[in-house]
Amino acid sequence: MTDGFMGPPWQMDWRLDALAAREALPAHVREIVDAARAELITAKDPYFRGIETDVGLPDGMQVRPILSSEPKGARAVFFDNGKGWLKYTFVPRTEDPQIVVEEIFWQ
């Protein structure tokens, strides 16, 4: 156990239906999802708040809030040039902060 707020890499948990949807994706798409996951768990701020904070993300990937009226609410990371997205929330607990993936979609 550490003193104070923990930092990256963050823990990531998947809802069972989101994990099943991920496993059903084609292998090349799962690789893209894994790259998005790597970006999220290593980000200093998994909510990518501020101006152009997601500018360092790989091409074809961006993070946006689901509702602009909820600054600490759910986010979507769009991947594969907008063909897919992953909806997540960040639980910034002092002990064991984590990202929770709620939904995944790709077409």
Side-chain angles (χ1 to χ4, degrees):
M1 190 152 91
T2 62
D3 294 330
F5 189 69
M6 296 171 62
W10 308 108
Q11 298 295 319
M12 183 176 268
D13 192 16
W14 294 71
R15 281 184 30 165
L16 292 177
D17 55 343
L19 187 58
R22 180 203 174 276
E23 295 302 319
L25 294 172
H28 75 283
V29 178
R30 282 196 309 269
E31 289 177 14
I32 297 169
V33 170
D34 290 344
R37 176 192 177 279
E39 292 293 333
L40 289 176
I41 66 170
T42 59
K44 182 177 178 183
D45 178 3
Y47 274 156
F48 293 88
R49 290 177 278 232
I51 299 171
E52 294 187 8
T53 54
D54 61 354
V55 83
L57 291 173
D59 289 339
M61 193 180 299
Q62 56 182 278
V63 175
R64 298 289 178 256
I66 300 293
L67 294 173
S68 61
S69 60
E70 293 185 29
K72 294 185 178 182
R75 292 290 197 268
V77 57
F78 295 92
F79 58 88
D80 199 14
N81 295 309
K83 294 178 186 167
W85 47 263
L86 185 141
K87 180 181 168 187
Y88 70 96
T89 56
F90 178 61
V91 184
R93 299 181 290 237
T94 301
E95 292 183 27
D96 194 31
Q98 70 179 15
I99 296 168
V100 178
V101 177
E102 299 175 356
E103 194 173 356
I104 188 168
F105 174 80
W106 182 79
Q107 68 178 38

